[in-house]
Amino acid sequence: MSRSSTDLVTVGRVGRPHGLDGSFFVEQPSERAETFKTGATLYAGGEPVKIVASKRGSGSRPVIRLDRKVERGATLAVPREALPPLGEDEFYSFQLVGLEVEEEGGRVLGRVKDVLDYPANDVLELDSGVLLPLVEACVRQVDLEGGRIVVSVGFADPD
């Protein structure tokens, strides 16, 4: 059964092959190890695929084999409703995309276009071209219901 991309949340991408049995490294994997356990179902190209083998590869990236061939670079996803509930003041990165970002004091900086995964911390990429670190010193409040993020003054160049 095919699912629309709006019902799915990306948890990784098909990376380079590992061995000769069809296994591959998962690029940009979800931090939740259970996502890639043997027997789990993922979606590739909107179609379900089952993980038939799973282990940890170099750099702690998962190495998995699926029940059918999937092209390198393909997005691996799970249904949005399959995500575990989060605690108070926690959120998934995809929930931030589209939120308006403003400085304390009200100056609007733009909307979140993407959340970039950097080694030290995630970075909010705004539609205005501004990049903001997703760290406590910068991000003061995330209001999912209100559709906005409030950041400290001084992290974005003034207009």
Side-chain angles (χ1 to χ4, degrees):
M1 175 175 112
S2 182
R3 295 189 70 125
S4 87
S5 61
T6 58
D7 293 339
L8 298 172
V9 176
T10 300
V11 293
R13 296 199 185 293
V14 176
R16 67 180 171 81
H18 182 271
L20 301 174
D21 67 353
S23 294
F24 58 86
F25 283 96
V26 176
E27 300 295 335
Q28 302 166 335
S30 164
E31 294 175 7
R32 298 184 57 240
E34 62 270 17
T35 301
F36 303 107
K37 69 179 186 230
T38 300
T41 298
L42 299 175
Y43 285 78
E47 298 293 328
V49 291
K50 188 169 276 309
I51 298 175
V52 296
S54 177
K55 64 182 177 181
R56 283 278 164 203
S58 62
S60 75
R61 286 183 302 166
V63 172
I64 63 174
R65 184 166 39 94
L66 302 174
D67 62 356
R68 66 178 170 83
K69 182 166 175 42
V70 176
E71 293 299 314
R72 186 171 179 176
T75 298
L76 300 171
V78 296
R80 192 175 295 256
E81 67 269 9
L83 295 173
L86 296 174
E88 189 175 330
D89 294 331
E90 292 183 321
F91 47 83
Y92 288 106
S93 295
F94 72 85
Q95 293 176 298
L96 303 179
V97 175
L99 297 184
E100 186 173 80
V101 178
E102 64 182 58
E103 285 183 326
E104 293 173 316
R107 182 170 76 114
V108 175
L109 302 175
R111 290 195 175 276
V112 178
K113 180 171 129 184
D114 199 1
V115 180
L116 307 173
D117 181 24
Y118 279 77
N121 53 265
D122 289 345
V123 172
L124 299 174
E125 179 184 20
L126 307 188
D127 58 5
S128 60
V130 172
L131 298 173
L132 298 168
L134 191 54
V135 296
E136 197 171 323
C138 176
V139 177
R140 308 311 295 163
Q141 178 188 18
V142 174
D143 180 3
L144 294 176
E145 286 78 37
R148 71 185 189 126
I149 297 173
V150 178
V151 297
S152 296
V153 174
F155 281 89
D157 290 334
D159 291 334

